[in-house]
């Protein structure tokens, strides 16, 4: 709806149309006009519930002050763990030749900024430099890191500064009060008394059943066997046959969307041969997770792709329709290297790219071949259990988590810290294999489990 008028709209109301590949979820305009200004709303409903989201569109010829596009979120982290914040703002084009944009993270003490110790700040830009952002990573949280942080964004077009604050807090440990302790002791004593009574009742029931069987002149062999039983619970619970019907997961590798030389076995869970294959279910829920077991080494790629990707190629991420982590430790999209894992480095060697972002330092040589490249390195987690210092190897498990904002990869349950942004379109899990590689996709009963809030892939069902 626009100003309570349902879609579709005439040109004098709005130039926005439904994006063809967005499954009625996204509207866009190739060129904004003044009549596009107004309040837009989207309503999702079924027979019992309705959810409404509203947004106001305003046009601005010249940006006076930076406008936030992503606010950092408060974190609660224990000592020794890692933390990462991100802030972003729209600054527009610079109108003066000597004007520059600046973004700085600081730790606040008594409203005074201080440098953040034992941390790393990586600045990024997108939309041709009109949007700037910055990551603040603290790999090993200590007690002096707790407190409030400020992301300050300064645009060369205005002297007005944008300050975005975020709080880093420790995990609270709640002490048990005297009242709670008394209640706990009372509950435990009551539970123990119930168990004693239940045990006595069971033993008496067994004794009565045994006496009844003797009075009925049961066979001598049966009586002898019962007299040698040491447990008073014998004969109380008769043996029963329980038939459990396992519901098969409808999500699997899709034989109708795979390369000509790909082979799918194990009920649609294993891929081998040469080429790529998609899963038969798109990722439509807010937070999805799946795992891939590296059964046999070779050349492989794991990630997400739309149905328009080329599945006859042996490397994922070579076109604009796929985002993949590859066996040569590169994260690729559109033939460009977004990240390169390097377990030998304790800290990043320069900045790293992300989809739609540009690093402030010149990137290295970009290559989509499976050989080594000199792209910017991003370290794998030091505590990842890969057999080669934290890099994926045969026998490891790669986890993939996607929340429609970031695509993250996990190695044996540990986050590789290579977030991929700007994944667009309706995407499916994708696997690419070559040179003897064998991959098993795991869609439930995970080896390491999804991150908090994520769950297995669910199949979209119509309520009509």
């Amino acid at each position: 709806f626009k100003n309570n008028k349902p879609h579709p709209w005439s040109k004098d109301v709005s130039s926005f149309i439904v994006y063809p590949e967005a499954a009625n979820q996204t509207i866009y305009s190739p060129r904004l006009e003044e009549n596009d200004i107004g309040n837009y709303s989207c309503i999702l409903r079924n027979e019992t519930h309705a959810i409404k989201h509203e947004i106001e569109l305003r046009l601005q010829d010249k940006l006076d002050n930076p406008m936030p596009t992503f606010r950092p979120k408060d974190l609660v982290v224990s000592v020794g763990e890692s933390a990462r914040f991100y802030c972003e703002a729209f600054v527009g084009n610079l109108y003066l030749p000597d004007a520059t944009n600046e973004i700085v993270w600081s730790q606040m003490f008594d409203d005074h900024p201080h440098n953040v110790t034992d941390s790393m700040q990586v600045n990024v830009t997108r939309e041709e430099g009109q949007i700037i952002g910055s990551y603040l990573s603290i790999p090993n949280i200590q007690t002096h890191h707790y407190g409030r942080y400020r992301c300050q964004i300064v645009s060369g077009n205005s002297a007005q500064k944008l300050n975005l604050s975020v709080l880093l807090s420790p995990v609270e440990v709640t002490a048990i009060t005297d009242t709670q302790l008394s209640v706990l002791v009372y509950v435990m004593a009551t539970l123990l008394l119930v168990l004693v009574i239940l045990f006595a009742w069971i033993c008496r029931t067994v004794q009565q059943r045994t006496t009844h069987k003797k009075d009925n002149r049961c066979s001598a062999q049966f009586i002898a066997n019962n007299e040698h039983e040491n447990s008073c619970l014998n004969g109380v619970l008769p043996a029963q046959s329980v038939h459990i019907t396992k519901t098969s997961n409808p999500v699997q590798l899709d034989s109708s969307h795979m390369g000509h030389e790909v082979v799918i076995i194990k009920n649609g869970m294993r891929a081998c041969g040469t080429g790529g294959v998609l899963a038969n279910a798109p990722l439509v829920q807010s937070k999805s997770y799946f795992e891939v077991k590296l059964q046999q080494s070779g050349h492989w790629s794991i990630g997400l792709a739309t149905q328009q990707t080329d599945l006859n190629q042996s490397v994922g991420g070579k076109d604009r329709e796929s985002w993949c982590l590859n066996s040569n430790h590169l994260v690729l999209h559109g033939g460009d290297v977004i990240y390169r894992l390097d377990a030998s480095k304790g800290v990043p060697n320069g900045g790293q790219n992300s989809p739609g972002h540009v690093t402030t330092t010149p990137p290295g040589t970009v290559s989509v071949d499976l050989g080594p490249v000199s792209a910017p390195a991003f370290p794998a987690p030091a505590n990842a259990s890969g057999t080669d210092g934290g890099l994926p190897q045969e026998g490891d498990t790669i986890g993939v988590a996607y929340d429609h904002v970031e695509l993250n990869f996990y190695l044996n349950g540990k986050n590789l810290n290579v977030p991929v942004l700007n994944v667009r379109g309706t995407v499916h899990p994708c696997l690419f294999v070559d040179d003897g590689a064998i991959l098993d996709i795991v869609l439930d009963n995970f080896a390491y489990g999804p991150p908090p809030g994520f769950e297995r892939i669910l199949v979209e069902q119509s309520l009509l």
Side-chain angles (χ1 to χ4, degrees), residues 45 103 109 120-121 136 154 193-194 213 217 238 246 253 266 294 317 322 326 357 392 405 410 412 428 435 446:
R45 64 164 58 94
I103 181 168
F109 294 101
M120 177 190 64
Q121 177 177 338
L136 176 65
V154 181
L193 178 61
V194 171
K213 291 176 182 178
R217 297 181 180 180
K246 182 180 179 181
L253 299 178
K266 285 191 65 178
L294 307 181
S322 58
N326 292 271
H357 290 63
V405 177
Y410 294 76
N412 297 331
H428 299 243
D435 195 28
F446 301 115

Side-chain angles (χ1 to χ4, degrees), residues 77-81 83 85 106-110 112 114-120 136-149 166-170:
V77 182
S78 301
V79 173
E81 296 182 352
F85 299 108
S106 302
Q107 188 173 9
M108 305 301 292
F109 294 101
D110 297 329
H112 295 289
H114 297 268
N115 293 332
V116 184
T117 60
D118 304 325
S119 66
M120 177 190 64
L136 176 65
S137 298
I138 306 176
N140 187 12
I141 295 295
Q142 301 299 320
T143 55
H144 66 270
H145 287 126
Y146 293 119
R148 185 162 297 278
Y149 291 80
V166 67
L167 184 64
L168 179 62
S169 306

Side-chain angles (χ1 to χ4, degrees), residues 155-446:
S155 172
N157 297 322
S158 171
Q160 184 68 31
K161 300 177 182 179
L162 174 64
N163 294 321
L164 302 176
S165 297
V166 67
L167 184 64
L168 179 62
S169 306
V171 177
E172 295 184 0
V173 179
T174 304
I176 299 179
T177 63
D178 293 339
T179 302
Q180 292 174 333
L181 182 59
S182 300
V183 172
L184 180 61
V185 172
Y186 176 76
V187 171
M188 295 296 295
T190 303
L191 180 60
L192 181 60
L193 178 61
V194 171
L195 290 176
V196 171
I197 295 174
L198 179 61
F199 183 78
W201 177 81
I202 292 176
C203 291
R204 182 177 179 181
T205 302
V206 171
Q207 183 178 7
Q208 290 176 349
R209 289 191 178 186
T210 303
T211 303
H212 179 71
K213 291 176 182 178
K214 289 182 179 180
D215 292 341
N216 289 335
R217 297 181 180 180
C218 296
S219 66
Q221 182 64 36
F222 179 83
I223 296 175
N225 290 339
N226 278 275
E227 289 176 348
H228 285 84
E229 290 293 335
N230 294 323
S231 174
C232 68
L233 298 177
N234 181 58
V236 176
L237 300 177
Q240 298 180 357
S241 297
V242 179
H243 300 281
I244 300 176
T245 302
K246 182 180 179 181
T247 303
S248 60
N249 193 333
V251 184
Q252 60 184 11
L253 299 178
D254 191 358
S255 59
S256 62
H257 290 90
M258 69 178 187
H260 298 315
E261 299 181 10
V262 176
V263 178
I264 298 178
I265 56 177
K266 285 191 65 178
N267 297 323
M269 297 298 165
R270 173 170 293 180
C272 51
T274 300
V277 59
L278 303 180
N280 62 354
L283 304 186
V284 295
Q285 65 209 74
S286 59
K287 294 184 178 182
S288 307
Y289 178 81
F290 64 97
E291 293 179 348
V292 178
K293 177 76 170 182
L294 307 181
Q295 292 290 358
Q296 183 168 302
S297 61
H299 293 164
W300 50 262
S301 304
I302 299 169
L304 303 180
T306 69
Q307 291 185 349
Q308 287 70 43
T309 191
D310 184 6
L311 297 174
N312 289 316
Q313 60 187 2
S314 59
V315 179
K318 292 183 66 176
D319 56 25
R320 306 300 297 179
E321 303 296 330
S322 58
W323 299 259
C324 292
L325 170 65
N326 292 271
S327 54
N328 60 346
H329 313 140
L330 303 180
V331 179
L332 300 179
H333 168 61
D336 297 329
V337 175
I338 305 174
Y339 300 101
R340 178 170 64 89
L341 301 181
D342 188 353
S344 64
K345 294 180 173 61
V347 295
N349 184 10
Q352 80 276 7
N353 297 329
S354 59
H357 290 63
V358 180
T359 57
T360 57
T361 58
T365 303
V366 176
S367 173
V368 296
D369 295 329
L370 293 174
V373 298
S374 56
F378 197 88
N383 56 351
S385 58
T387 57
D388 188 15
L391 299 178
Q393 301 290 333
E394 180 175 318
D396 288 344
T397 297
I398 302 295
V400 182
Y402 178 60
D403 61 359
H404 297 271
V405 177
E406 287 187 357
L407 165 63
N408 282 283
F409 296 94
Y410 294 76
L411 175 60
N412 297 331
K414 303 298 181 181
N415 195 338
L416 289 175
N417 294 320
V418 288
V420 179
L421 305 178
N422 293 334
V423 177
R424 301 182 183 275
T426 302
V427 294
H428 299 243
C430 69
L431 309 179
F432 289 80
V433 291
D434 192 19
D435 195 28
I438 298 177
L439 302 180
D440 283 3
I441 189 169
V442 182
L443 300 167
D444 50 19
N445 298 323
F446 301 115

